[in-house]
């Protein structure tokens, strides 16, 4: 079983589209996908319908509208936007893209981690970590090192995403067991 990630694109507190990635709910891979999305948004200002724009954003990550869910996400998109062409869905490893309420709910049911991109205020809710449980300490030979992370992962600005990527990379490649302490006092572990 993979670490299952769901990425959602929102505007006005409504999910326009989401995509399920079977192997990407590791902190570093989820952050890389978020960086691809932010880069796409920065370089491709919206000039179309909200749902179509959300599809294009997620297609940029490799995701495709699936024909396997009922109703067919691809058929629904083709009916909504008959003059548009959509990228082929290459499977769950690349991203299963959904735009219908039912499809969005189904992909949410599979998630183990979620990244929510808010187009209105250009923020990210990055929920791809484990909460630290001090009762697990008996399972480790080394004590953890606690480190303050000055980023609010529930309201991360697009401009702060590179800083998060650097911290995840440092923690992943460190030979130490690092527990991040968020500004609200919550202690987390990135997933590798």
């Amino acid at each position: 079983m993979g670490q299952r990630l769901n990425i959602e694109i929102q505007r006005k507190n409504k999910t326009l589209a989401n995509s399920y990635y079977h192997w990407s709910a590791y902190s570093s891979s989820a952050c890389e996908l978020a960086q691809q999305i932010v880069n796409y948004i920065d370089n491709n200002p919206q000039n179309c319908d909200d749902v179509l724009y959300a599809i294009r954003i997620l297609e940029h990550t490799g995701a495709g509208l699936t024909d396997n869910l009922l109703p067919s996400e691809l058929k629904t998109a083709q009916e909504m936007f008959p003059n548009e062409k959509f990228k082929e869905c290459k499977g769950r490893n690349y991203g299963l893209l959904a735009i219908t309420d039912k499809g969005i709910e189904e992909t949410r049911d599979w998630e183990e981690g979620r990244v929510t991109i808010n187009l209105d205020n250009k923020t990210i809710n990055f929920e791809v970590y484990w909460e630290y449980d001090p009762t697990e300490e008996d399972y480790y030979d080394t004590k953890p090192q606690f480190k303050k992370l000055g980023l609010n992962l529930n309201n991360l600005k697009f401009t702060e995403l590179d800083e998060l990527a650097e911290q995840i990379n440092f923690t992943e490649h460190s030979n130490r067991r690092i527990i991040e302490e968020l500004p609200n006092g919550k202690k987390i572990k990135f997933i590798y």
Side-chain angles (χ1 to χ4, degrees):
M1 170 106 34
Q3 268 304 111
R4 299 169 298 183
L5 177 67
N6 174 25
I7 297 181
E8 303 211 346
I9 308 297
Q10 291 185 343
R11 185 177 292 287
K12 297 180 182 139
N13 295 319
K14 180 182 181 347
T15 298
L16 304 170
N18 72 357
S19 191
Y20 165 84
Y21 306 83
H22 193 67
W23 294 100
S24 296
Y26 298 95
S27 300
S28 57
S29 54
C31 191
E32 286 172 18
L33 286 168
Q35 287 177 303
Q36 287 178 24
I37 288 169
V38 167
N39 184 52
Y40 180 87
I41 293 167
D42 286 346
N43 292 302
N44 298 278
Q46 184 173 350
N47 62 357
C48 60
D49 177 88
D50 284 349
V51 173
L52 182 58
Y53 188 56
I55 291 170
R56 297 302 184 218
I57 290 168
L58 292 170
E59 282 181 334
H60 182 70
T61 68
L65 290 155
T66 181
D67 220 6
N68 297 340
L69 300 175
L70 294 175
S72 164
E73 302 299 313
L74 178 59
K75 184 177 178 186
T76 301
Q78 289 170 334
E79 289 169 358
M80 290 174 70
F81 310 106
N83 297 323
E84 298 290 333
K85 299 281 185 218
F86 299 100
K87 291 191 177 179
E88 175 188 356
C89 179
K90 296 179 182 174
R92 66 186 189 175
N93 295 342
Y94 297 94
L96 303 176
L97 205 159
I99 57 172
T100 66
D101 290 342
K102 187 173 181 186
I104 288 169
E105 277 306 313
E106 187 168 346
T107 55
R108 282 178 181 158
D109 288 344
W110 303 331
E111 75 184 17
E112 293 176 301
R114 183 186 292 186
V115 173
T116 304
I117 309 291
N118 186 305
L119 297 175
D120 294 318
N121 55 20
K122 295 195 176 208
T123 58
I124 301 162
N125 184 356
F126 190 87
E127 297 175 300
V128 188
Y129 54 80
W130 287 315
E131 289 196 37
Y132 170 67
D133 181 355
T135 63
E136 294 177 354
E137 287 308 312
D138 296 341
Y139 299 107
Y140 296 97
D141 295 333
T142 61
K143 293 282 183 200
Q145 175 184 349
F146 292 90
K147 186 171 187 217
K148 291 198 180 285
L149 181 66
L151 299 171
N152 180 351
L153 299 185
N154 298 116
N155 194 27
L156 189 70
K157 295 179 180 101
F158 282 9
T159 56
E160 297 173 318
L161 189 56
D162 288 342
E163 184 180 342
L164 175 63
E166 287 174 18
Q167 185 56 46
I168 290 171
N169 187 47
F170 172 79
T171 302
E172 182 176 11
H173 294 96
S174 174
N175 290 329
R176 295 166 274 166
R177 213 162 49 88
I178 298 175
I179 306 299
E180 310 287 345
E181 185 175 345
L182 301 179
N184 64 4
K186 182 191 286 188
K187 294 177 176 66
I188 64 162
K189 300 182 292 185
F190 289 125
I191 303 170
Y192 305 107

